[in-house]
Amino acid sequence: MRRFARVVILLLIVIIPACGGGDETASGDTAITDAERIAQHATQELTTTLLGEVQRAMKEGGPILAVRQCTGLAQELTDKVAAEHGVRMRRVTEKPRNPLDSPDAYERRILARFEADLAAGSMGATTTHAEVVQLEGKRALRFLKPITIKKPCLSCHGTGDQVSPEVAQEIRERYPGDQAMDYREGDLRGAISVIVPLSE
């Protein structure tokens, strides 16, 4: 009976997420809490670093330089922050500019939930998703934080009248299969997706 109870508790921790403010974790598990904290710190660092680089590029050379900076630095910075925190991390979206940013099935499901939350007006600045899963035979925390379109993003991701012909041409040359246009301020752009390994 005691063994059965332990199995049930384990299933509850791994399979049935607890809901609250968009988070889905077993809050009583210290390892999970620590993993979520790591994911949040890594996400915040990446967001701050990328935003700083884009703002600097916009000041120095406008949207064209910002596109070039994103092309050259975004993945490099993501990998650097991920390595520093000991996680796997990437930016994902249903409308990728870079095909490498296409979501997997799990990420696609959470992006759809974020989209529904945004439409319902229930997405806030602190909205995240966190859940313990079995990944490649091991426990891991999957953490996603939504990315929404801000006004400065529109010069590279907006509608036709917001993106200059020169910027549009630069994007076409660097990303022939680009899908990341026609956004409006406040739209869901995608998410930062983090995987934090958990000790057994």
Side-chain angles (χ1 to χ4, degrees), residues 46-58:
L46 178 62
T47 302
T48 303
T49 305
L50 280 177
L51 183 59
E53 288 295 330
V54 170
Q55 287 175 334
R56 185 176 62 78
M58 288 288 282

Side-chain angles (χ1 to χ4, degrees), residues 78-91:
T78 302
D79 292 344
K80 180 175 180 286
V81 173
E84 287 172 355
H85 291 273
V87 301
R88 287 158 56 185
M89 180 164 56
R90 65 195 198 110
R91 291 161 301 122

Side-chain angles (χ1 to χ4, degrees), residues 134-189:
Q134 287 289 325
L135 194 63
E136 298 167 359
K138 296 180 179 179
R139 290 171 76 229
L141 180 79
R142 294 207 70 164
F143 178 94
L144 284 88
K145 181 170 178 59
I147 302 168
T148 54
I149 292 289
K150 307 293 188 293
K151 193 170 183 179
C153 306
L154 297 174
S155 57
C156 295
H157 293 285
T159 56
D161 59 330
Q162 294 168 313
V163 180
S164 74
E166 295 80 15
V167 171
Q169 179 63 29
E170 184 77 21
I171 291 168
R172 280 193 298 271
E173 288 176 3
R174 291 176 179 273
Y175 302 101
D178 176 51
Q179 302 175 47
M181 301 287 271
D182 296 321
Y183 282 101
R184 299 186 184 279
E185 188 174 358
D187 284 353
L188 181 71
R189 172 72 184 106

Side-chain angles (χ1 to χ4, degrees), residues 17-26 36 40 113 126-131 143-144:
C19 296
D23 292 320
E24 300 186 13
T25 60
E36 188 170 350
Q40 288 172 338
R113 199 194 81 191
T126 60
T127 296
T128 59
H129 168 89
E131 182 179 5
F143 178 94
L144 284 88

